[in-house]
Amino acid sequence: MKVVIAGSSGLIGTALVAALRRDGHDVVRLVRRPIAARDEFTWHPARAELDTRALRGADAVVNLCGAGLGQRRWTGSFKQELRDSRITPTDVLSGAAAAAAVPVLVNASGVHYYGGGTGDRVVDETTPPGTGFLATLCRDWEAATEPARAAGVRTILLRSGVVLSQHGGMMSMLRPLYRLGLGARLGNGRQYTPWISLEDEVGAIVFALTNDTLDGPVNAVGPAPVTNAEFNHALGRALGRRTPLIVPAVALRTVIGEFADEAILRGPRAIPTALERAGYPFRHPTIGSALAALMEPGAR
């Protein structure tokens, strides 16, 4: 396949590019900086500019664009940046995919779509959107793919949980703390922490590119949901450290602000119904196996 990727320099994008190339696929990367390689094409989504040669003959487009949710405190301007970094590129790519008659679009989204008020109730791709900033963001982000869907492009809305990797993302922050014995339960620990290994995140994307039975929302999460307390215990066990500490909810709200309530102290008990029905073979079906794999030398 010829696969065009936006957001190829991030944690997921870097791993996806490598996986596709290992499998013999042709990868084209959309970049906003000056071109530095033969497989790159420029685009400027804020100006709705995209070199249409990039999509010529493309079999799929993968959009992974979006500023990191927790990279700084949520001010009004940063929340607007979170929206602009997702919705604007999606709108541009969706329109371009429609115009070029690209067969499939895989567009990033998040399990925050379901909101944080679902408690112990299991949610899957049929669950309606929740409330709050992140739920609204994900809903509007997904709605920006409508031009592609209306044109007949098979459109995957990849609602991802926390992606676990040895070399980036949340684990790069947690691992040093846990090694120092500073791992802790967050709040009461009963909230769910939707997770997926990087290997399965990439595997799910590649699977979606070639599996015509997948269309619409797809939860990219591990099949065995865990609470924050269970995640905390599993990570401590994987690193051989005790985890008796507790970070009170009030402390998280004071230090982190709104992000704490939206994404840390609440989380949906999401399951990957669409992937399982389509027959996707999870490499890491439990949090224990996912974390154990990350502790292996050279693991990603």
Side-chain angles (χ1 to χ4, degrees):
M1 295 184 297
K2 176 182 176 180
V3 183
V4 180
I5 302 177
S8 63
S9 62
L11 174 68
I12 299 168
T14 300
L16 177 61
V17 169
L20 288 170
R21 286 177 173 163
R22 280 196 303 270
D23 290 343
H25 300 296
D26 181 16
V27 176
V28 171
R29 296 177 293 157
L30 299 179
V31 298
R32 306 183 205 195
R33 52 169 172 73
I35 291 175
R38 293 179 62 184
D39 67 341
E40 295 180 347
F41 285 83
T42 57
W43 77 315
H44 299 285
R47 301 198 297 263
E49 295 176 0
L50 170 62
D51 189 336
T52 56
R53 293 176 300 169
L55 274 65
R56 197 170 296 161
D59 298 291
V61 173
V62 179
N63 176 26
L64 301 172
C65 293
L69 294 174
Q71 66 184 28
R72 62 179 187 268
R73 196 176 181 89
W74 283 12
T75 60
S77 61
F78 181 58
K79 288 166 74 173
Q80 187 60 50
E81 180 182 332
L82 292 177
R83 288 183 59 84
D84 292 344
S85 68
R86 287 163 169 78
I87 297 169
T88 301
T90 298
D91 184 61
V92 173
L93 275 178
S94 177
V102 177
V104 59
L105 166 66
V106 175
N107 199 80
S109 184
V111 291
H112 303 298
Y113 174 92
Y114 305 110
T118 54
D120 287 333
R121 177 166 57 91
V122 173
V123 302
D124 66 8
E125 291 85 355
T126 65
T127 303
T131 59
F133 172 75
L134 285 181
T136 302
L137 171 61
C138 289
R139 184 195 65 204
D140 295 346
W141 190 4
E142 294 182 3
T145 65
E146 183 55 30
R149 180 175 295 282
V153 177
R154 182 167 65 90
T155 304
I156 305 297
L157 307 172
L158 199 74
R159 296 173 181 168
S160 298
V162 174
V163 179
L164 305 178
S165 167
Q166 189 182 65
H167 300 293
M170 184 179 76
M171 287 299 295
S172 65
M173 297 181 286
L174 291 183
R175 189 171 176 143
L177 293 175
Y178 276 71
R179 285 201 181 281
L180 292 172
L182 298 176
R185 189 189 81 196
L186 304 178
N188 61 28
R190 294 194 294 270
Q191 73 276 23
Y192 278 82
T193 301
W195 63 274
I196 187 169
S197 70
L198 178 60
E199 186 177 0
D200 276 321
E201 175 81 0
V202 170
I205 294 172
V206 175
F207 184 77
L209 291 176
T210 58
N211 193 309
D212 291 341
T213 65
L214 285 174
D215 196 0
V218 173
N219 287 347
V221 293
V226 295
T227 64
N228 175 260
E230 291 167 337
F231 179 88
N232 175 52
H233 179 70
L235 181 52
R237 184 172 56 213
L239 290 169
R241 299 291 190 274
R242 296 179 66 247
T243 56
L245 303 179
I246 299 172
V247 179
V250 65
L252 285 168
R253 292 187 181 105
T254 300
V255 174
I256 301 175
E258 186 180 355
F259 178 67
D261 273 315
E262 286 269 349
I264 297 177
L265 296 172
R266 298 191 299 170
R269 189 180 182 180
I271 59 172
T273 299
L275 283 173
E276 290 187 311
R277 285 180 178 169
Y280 174 72
F282 278 90
R283 280 75 159 175
H284 305 295
T286 67
I287 189 63
S289 65
L291 292 174
L294 294 186
M295 304 307 147
E296 297 172 0
R300 293 194 64 81

